Structures are given as C-alpha cells and as structure tokens.
Amino acid sequence: MSQIKTANVKFDKNGAPFSADFDDIYFDNTLGCQQSEQVFIKANNIEQAWLNFNASEFVIAETGFGTGLNFFLTLEKFIAFKRCNQSAIKLHFISTEKYPLTLQDMRKALKLWPQFHLFSEQLLAQYDIAANTQQTYTFADAAVSLTIHFRDASAAFSAIEVPDKGLVDAFYLDGFAPSRNPEMWSKALFTQLARLAKKGASLGTFTVAGFVRRGLSEVGFKVNKIHYGNDGNDAEKTESTQARFIGLRRGKPITGFKVREKVESSKHATIVGGGLASACAALALANKGINVTLLCKDEQIAQGASSNAIGALFPLLHQDKDSLSLFYQQGFEHSLALFKQLIKQGYQFSHGFDGLIDVSYKAALVQRQQTFCQKNVWPDDLIHGISKEQVNDISGIDVDHPGLYMPRAGWVCPPELVQAIIQAAIATGKVKVKTNRKVLAVKSLANNRWLLTTNKGQKQIQNLIFCTGADSLAIDSLAQLPLSVVRGQVSQMQSNDRIENLKTVLCHKGYLTPENNGVHCIGATFDKDDNDTRLRDEDDQYNINMLASCLGDIGNWSMADVRASKARLRCCTPDHLPMVGRVPKIEKHQEYYQHLSKDKNWHYKQPAPLNNGLYVLTGLGARGLCSAPLLAEILAAEICNDDYPVDEEMLFNLSPNRFVIRDLIKSKS
Ligand SMILES: Cc1cc2nc3c(=O)[nH]c(=O)nc-3n(C[C@H](O)[C@H](O)[C@H](O)COP(=O)(O)OP(=O)(O)OC[C@H]3O[C@@H](n4cnc5c(N)ncnc54)[C@H](O)[C@@H]3O)c2cc1C
Ligand SMILES: C[S@@+](CC[C@H](N)C(=O)[O-])C[C@H]1O[C@@H](n2cnc3c(N)ncnc32)[C@H](O)[C@@H]1O
C-alpha cells in the first residue's frame, strides 16, 4: 500500500544489510546466527517452554521482522522439536515491520542464510508488502503460521484481540538500538506487551538500556540482565535482557521480615563446599559475571552427600498445589533445563531421563493415585496416573501395580554431574576451585567483611557462602539455624536377567534405579541424628527387604548381590524445604518482630536484619538434584541485586529467617 515506507538498505562487502536511515545493522553478521539465537531463543528458553507447554498453539510476538532471521531460526528449531518430541503443538509467530525490505533487498539479504533456503523461498514467493497491512504465511504443513503486520509495532499490537488469559507466550524485542529508534521503544509499546502477555510469558531483547528495563518493569515484567561468556571476541555481545511477565501486584505491601534489602555490589564471592549446591552456585554466579573461589575441605570435590552413585531426579508433588510441591515443580524444570544444556554443550555425566514411576503398590496408594487423578492439578507431562499394564510396558519389567508416572523425570550420577557443572563453571574463566581447604572459623569484621580462617591461612572476604551440606551443623555462624542430619545408606546391586530391562526409576518406600555400570541402586535408609558414615551390613539387608516388601521379588536379590554401598548424610530442615539467602541475625529478629507473638498479622516496615555478605545454601535434604540449580539462581540474584526467579511467597518459604519468624508467631504471649 502506498503509505508503507520501505527500508533504505545498504549491503556491505559480505552482503550483510545495513539501515542507512537508522545508521544501524540488521544483525551482527560477524557471528552468524549466534547472536540472534542467544538473545532471543536462549533468553526465552524457548525449547524448554515448548516442552512444558500444555495448550495447542504457542504464540511468539516480535517487533521488527527485518529479514526474518529470528523467525527462520525459530522455525528450524520448532520443526526439530516437533520431530524429536512428537509434539502436536502449533506455532504462531506474529511479527511487526514498519519499514519492510523490498522484495529485491529481501532476496539479497536472505542469500546470507543458505540453510534456510527452502523456507525463505516459500516466504519470498508470497512476500507482497504493497498488498496489505497484514499478511499470514504458513510453513511445515501448516504447523507454523507467520503473520507480519506491516506497520508500527505498538499500533499493530493494539489492534490484536486478546483473550482473558492473554495471548502471547514469548516476546522477541528486536528493532534498532533504542538510542537510534526511540519512537519504537515507547511506553505505548510496553503497555501493549503487557496487554498481550500471558501470565509467565517470557521476553528477550538485545538491549540493556535502562529506560527499556524500567519501562518493562513498570508494566509488570520481572527484568533480568544476562551476562554471556566472551571468548575474547570483541564483537560478541556480552549482555542482554531477559524478562518474565508477572503482572502488576495489587494489594497490601509485603511485610518487613519478608523483605531482603539490596546488597553492596561486588565482583567476588567465596563458596565453602564441594557438592552439588556449591557447583550450581559457582556456575550461577559466574554466569552473572562474579568471580568465584570455591574452597573444599576434601582432596576432591563431591565427596559428601553428592557422592552417591545414582540419584533420582523428580519433583515432590502432592495432590494439591501446596508451597512444597510448587517449589519442587519449579526446581525440577530448572534442573532439567540445566542438565540438558550441559549435555548439549558436551559435558558428560551418566544419566537417564526416561521417566520415573511412583508405584501404587498397596491399597492406600491406589486410593491416593485415584484422588491425584481426580484432582488433576498438574500438567500431564509432569505427572499422570497409569494402569498396571502401562507400568509394565513403560518400565520394561513386570511390576504389576498401577502408578503415578513422571515422563520427564529420571536419574543422574551426582558426582559426575558435580564435576560437569564445575567444569562448565571453570570454562567461564571466573571460577577457581581449591581442594584440601578446610574452613575452620569465620569472624565478622567492622568493615563489612568476613575474616576467614582455613587450614592454609586467613583472608578477608566480602561475600562468603556456605554450601556445606550436613557439615553446616559444625559451622558456628550457622549454629542458630534449625538444621539436622539424616544418615542414609544406598546399596548397589548386581544386575541380572530379571531386572536388567528396567527402563525407568521405580519409587516405592525407597527407590530402584535402572542399570548403570552393571548395577542398580536401591535405598535408602533414613536414620535421624545419626552422623556415622561407616557402612553397615544390616542397612544393605534393610534396603533389600524394603524393596521386596513393597514390590516383591523384583530383583531376586540377596546380600550376595551387593556390589558396593555408600552411607552419607543428608542435611535437613524442619519443613522439608531448603534454605538460601543471607544468614539472619536471630536476636535482632526477636527484638524487632516481637509483636508477632501477639498478632501474627502485624505489618512491619522494618526489613529483615540479615548478616550482609554471609550466605547459606543448604538443607537440600533428599532432593538436592531437583532443587540446587534453582536455589543457586536465587542466591546469584541476591548477590547481584537482580530480580529473583521466584515470587515473594516462595522466597520467604526458602528464607533462612522463616524459622525464627514462625517461632515468634508460635510463642504467643
Ligand atoms: C543416601 C542418600 C540418598 C540420596 N538420594 C537422593 C536422590 O535420589 N535424589 C536427590 O535429588 N537427592 C538425593 N540425596 C540428596 C542429595 O544427595 C543432597 O541433597 C545433595 O547432594 C546435597 O548437596 P550439598 O552440596 O548441599 O552437600 P554435600 O554434597 O554434602 O557437599 C557439602 C560439601 O561441603 C564441603 N565442606 C563441608 N564443610 C566444609 C568446610 N568447613 N570447609 C570446606 N569445605 C567443607 C564438603 O567437603 C562437601 O564437599 C540423597 C542423599 C543421601 C545421603
Ligand atoms: C535490527 S532490525 C531487525 C532484524 C530482524 N529481526 C532480522 O532478523 O533481520 C530492526 C527492524 O525493526 C524495524 N522497525 C523499526 N522501527 C519499527 C517500528 N516502530 N515498528 C515496527 N518495526 C520497526 C526496522 O525496520 C527493522 O527491520
């Protein structure tokens, strides 16, 4: 149509388009598709979002279609995703373009991406910017539709009808740099994004401009800056923005003891640990640009609870969406995403994500399964009930009981996983691991620093993080936290004809894992306040008997089949949720919030009195695999003053100060 102004494009010697009007590039051609992939696809965690998606059509909205690079990349990924996952979902990609390229320029620009030739030819065959202000094209047997609105982004978005639940699952905010194109990056645009967004919608954009980040926050997006490793390539972008739509909070302001005040900014943190919690913390901090020193008392990392041969990876889910289940649901998704990403990056650790069945082996559990299915509060791809025939079919062996099936759960080898995470952390160039370093004492100094005494000397430290598992009970600075130790012994059983075909983890009172290195793990014992890690024959016998009493003679095992065993200590909390954050000043809590004993709803303005620079991430209990990555993200957000990846209620449920607050409320005077 006549009012469409086409782009004034110049091409450089490599054939890359450049906007003469905006004096800006369309994409960074030095890095191929890498940057678009990082800033839009990875920042939106788009493949994981498709995996988790449980409606029929996933909607992406983009500003600035340009040459369509973001679209073609997404299309390619979506087709691969559908092929791998036999998924039935469809994709609707809504884009906007105020200054479209002419057909001729488009054809020239798309020559840069021969890998998308088939798709780009399809688009070019119908691309007709004069014909309409809006065009829809379909791809991949109509599984994907692309609608381009040839007009200003906010005007185009404002004309789209939005259902009550919102429309868009993910946003790609492209467009030239805000400084060169302030007209597009407007309050009107941000308002439209919030209008279109579904709750939880994600957003990725290349810009980290303050007014864009603030503008997004003001309309209800939780905004995060992402830092990338820079392999010494100066052209590479090292920061971008990622956001999630949470909506605007209405209602009363949050009470003081739930508020974690901002921290002094810093570039370094020292982690005390060597297990899963510390590995995840090191990686999360390094990814946010923090330099990390990790001190581990043992000769090698992963010698504590994280040294078990096999651990089951699955969320603890109840029939209702209580706070415990919601945390483990979110934690599970984080863990799975991190572990799959590590595998994709080439890090190796033994694992199997072929599902887990919680076997309903007695009447009470069959009843529980029925109620679970009636209530049906969780997505099917997280958990659903299956018949005994399906259990036999899916597990690969004759279990002969129905069960609750978690198709994406599985098992990993924790010590190998810890090694892989540490390798990934070291590869950022920001993490140093020092073994044989035992932290002996910690003292608070007047200058907001901590004096750390180890077996190798003393050092002043700004940020000190204890990821010390069950050893946390021996650390003076953590003495006021209600942590306890629960000993557990796992037995490794020789595989045999009867059990070798087991494909999924089976849970009963304990668990049984598929074969790895010729053995299956069974366990585990559960002895409160017992911190003796020497092996006990009677515990192996207990594990064999427990399995037999729940699932019968499924492995045909006796003590002669025990190949190895391991006893380690779980670090537990009274409410079975872990803790992450700054260590609270307990006496100050008791002083500030004493009125809670008279009125538990009393509203306080006074923010929580916390020890600045002193953090704890522990209490992972029997679920570290499903919680450590998310907890590490929370810790890193706190240290970097970024937005937390969980809401305020969940943050308080994970706060080390929740226990003193609950004690005050209980101590009614
Ligand atoms: C028998 C058993 C079975 C389990 N099964 C599962 C399962 O199936 N699925 C699951 O998700 N989870 C399972 N868990 C739980 C899981 O293993 C833990 O939640 C997780 O490994 C805890 O990791 P962490 O880093 O907190 O602790 P740890 O792995 O214990 O690490 C603590 C680290 O701190 C170091 N350290 C301590 N004190 C000091 C000091 N003063 N100076 C320097 N370094 C210090 C130690 O050397 C150690 O490396 C199981 C645990 C046990 C014991
Ligand atoms: C950096 S380029 C986008 C690159 C594009 N995603 C690609 O793959 O080629 C920015 C695009 O935003 C478009 N644009 C600029 N202002 C706009 C506005 N107000 N509304 C919609 N699109 C706009 C430009 O014409 C340009 O095509």
Side-chain angles (χ1 to χ4, degrees), residues 5-224:
K5 178 179 181 320
T6 52
N8 182 2
V9 182
K10 302 276 175 269
F11 288 87
D12 71 11
K13 60 180 187 318
N14 300 315
F18 179 86
S19 165
D21 287 341
F22 288 92
D23 192 22
D24 203 353
I25 52 173
Y26 275 75
F27 39 75
D28 188 339
N29 193 39
T30 51
L31 295 164
C33 306
Q34 216 176 307
Q35 196 175 84
S36 300
E37 189 156 348
Q38 196 169 58
V39 168
F40 300 106
I41 293 179
K42 286 204 183 133
N44 274 296
N45 206 353
I46 211 85
E47 284 159 307
Q48 189 62 42
W50 290 335
L51 265 178
N52 297 344
F53 193 63
N54 48 21
S56 55
E57 187 174 75
F58 191 91
V59 179
I60 297 177
E62 180 192 46
T63 53
F65 184 74
T67 64
L69 174 60
N70 297 334
F71 169 69
F72 290 121
L73 272 171
T74 308
L75 173 62
E76 187 190 45
K77 295 246 178 286
F78 187 70
I79 291 171
F81 163 81
K82 276 182 74 81
R83 197 180 314 118
C84 288
N85 296 282
Q86 295 175 349
S87 164
I89 64 169
K90 293 191 163 194
L91 173 68
H92 188 188
F93 194 102
I94 302 172
S95 194
T96 56
E97 180 50 71
K98 189 169 180 186
Y99 311 105
L101 273 74
T102 61
L103 180 61
Q104 199 184 8
D105 285 343
M106 194 73 159
R107 192 175 291 286
K108 199 164 166 188
L110 287 173
K111 286 216 170 88
L112 278 176
W113 316 115
Q115 66 271 44
F116 303 134
H117 178 72
L118 272 181
F119 303 135
S120 56
E121 280 305 313
Q122 241 177 293
L123 174 67
L124 290 170
Q126 303 169 66
Y127 186 75
D128 182 5
I129 51 174
N132 214 326
T133 53
Q134 171 182 332
Q135 280 196 4
T136 296
Y137 318 86
T138 56
F139 299 83
D141 295 329
V144 178
S145 50
L146 162 69
T147 303
I148 310 179
H149 297 256
F150 291 112
R151 61 201 289 201
D152 168 66
S154 39
F157 288 156
S158 68
I160 295 177
E161 241 179 76
V162 182
D164 288 349
K165 282 196 308 199
L167 177 75
V168 174
D169 299 286
F171 292 96
Y172 295 178
L173 286 202
D174 210 342
F176 296 117
S179 55
R180 291 161 202 232
N181 188 15
E183 185 206 330
M184 188 193 93
W185 299 92
S186 62
K187 206 167 173 161
L189 174 67
F190 305 141
T191 307
Q192 285 309 320
L193 300 179
R195 192 180 73 85
L196 295 181
K198 281 188 189 159
K199 196 93 187 249
S202 60
L203 180 150
T205 179
F206 64 92
T207 180
V208 288
F211 83 90
V212 171
R213 293 155 54 78
R214 280 189 299 279
L216 289 169
S217 284
E218 278 164 18
V219 296
F221 283 88
K222 225 175 171 185
V223 182
N224 256 328

Side-chain angles (χ1 to χ4, degrees), residues 272-278 295-298 300-308 310-314 414 437-440 467-472 475 486-490 511 524-525 566-571 617-626:
V272 188
L276 187 57
S278 40
L295 307 176
C296 174
K297 71 178 166 61
D298 303 319
Q300 286 175 34
I301 55 170
Q303 300 299 301
S306 311
S307 67
N308 267 322
I310 300 286
L313 168 66
F314 67 110
R437 295 295 160 100
K438 179 162 184 171
V439 171
L440 302 170
C467 299
T468 33
D471 292 314
S472 304
I475 309 261
V486 179
R487 178 188 182 278
Q489 183 163 320
V490 177
Y511 61 75
T525 59
K566 181 154 269 178
R568 285 293 181 267
L569 307 177
R570 307 173 183 92
C571 177
L617 192 181
T618 196
L620 277 59
R623 301 267 165 185
L625 289 171
C626 184

Side-chain angles (χ1 to χ4, degrees), residues 496-603:
N496 58 44
D497 292 355
R498 193 181 287 200
I499 195 79
E500 67 185 1
N501 291 331
L502 177 64
K503 289 186 286 204
T504 62
V505 178
L506 295 181
C507 282
H508 46 98
K509 233 169 122 185
Y511 61 75
L512 159 64
T513 62
E515 182 269 332
N516 183 45
N517 294 328
V519 293
H520 301 260
C521 283
I522 63 169
T525 59
F526 209 84
D527 296 303
K528 287 185 185 162
D529 301 323
D530 179 346
N531 57 11
D532 183 354
T533 54
R534 284 172 299 179
L535 295 177
R536 296 171 189 161
D537 283 349
E538 65 267 30
D539 281 11
D540 290 329
Q541 187 65 63
Y542 173 89
N543 286 335
I544 294 170
N545 293 348
M546 171 168 61
L547 175 66
S549 73
C550 296
L551 300 187
D553 211 2
I554 202 166
N556 194 22
W557 282 316
S558 69
M559 285 295 280
D561 298 301
V562 178
R563 286 289 151 268
S565 317
K566 181 154 269 178
R568 285 293 181 267
L569 307 177
R570 307 173 183 92
C571 177
C572 299
T573 65
D575 61 7
H576 309 293
L577 277 170
M579 55 174 76
V580 60
R582 273 163 282 174
V583 177
K585 295 180 177 171
I586 300 291
E587 286 76 18
K588 288 255 184 268
H589 271 75
Q590 289 160 342
E591 184 189 324
Y592 292 173
Y593 305 127
Q594 53 178 300
H595 195 66
L596 287 174
S597 61
K598 297 200 169 62
D599 179 357
K600 67 177 180 161
N601 296 318
W602 191 255
H603 186 87

